[in-house]
Amino acid sequence: MVSGHQVCPVVPGSGPNCQAAADILCRSKGYRLGNSLGVDSTEKCSAKVLIPGRPREPGDCRTENFVTRAWRQ
């Protein structure tokens, strides 16, 4: 098992590809492929949301998924 923080690339029209992220995480540790065991997400927002009195608009924030643990193959 390997640990790290690898962002899941977003596939247009499909969503996040965490299998690809698990593979990248395992390759970065010297292994060939991997399966994700731990996935987490966070909301990333632009600095515009910090402006006092400004209403939050669509597109100001997006959800980012990432693999934190993967089983190596």
Side-chain angles (χ1 to χ4, degrees):
M1 187 163 79
V2 296
S3 297
H5 183 93
Q6 181 62 49
V7 175
C8 301
V10 177
V11 178
S14 178
N17 183 352
C18 290
Q19 177 60 52
D23 290 343
I24 293 168
L25 181 60
C26 286
R27 281 191 210 121
S28 73
K29 306 291 184 179
Y31 300 104
R32 186 168 176 226
L33 299 173
N35 292 317
S36 62
L37 292 175
V39 178
D40 206 349
S41 63
T42 187
E43 187 177 54
K44 293 204 112 175
C45 299
S46 71
K48 295 177 194 175
V49 299
L50 300 174
I51 299 172
R54 181 184 175 275
R56 193 166 168 175
E57 297 177 7
D60 283 348
C61 300
R62 63 184 167 85
T63 300
E64 188 174 82
N65 298 290
F66 51 91
V67 174
T68 57
R69 291 181 301 145
W71 179 257
R72 60 176 176 75
Q73 293 182 353

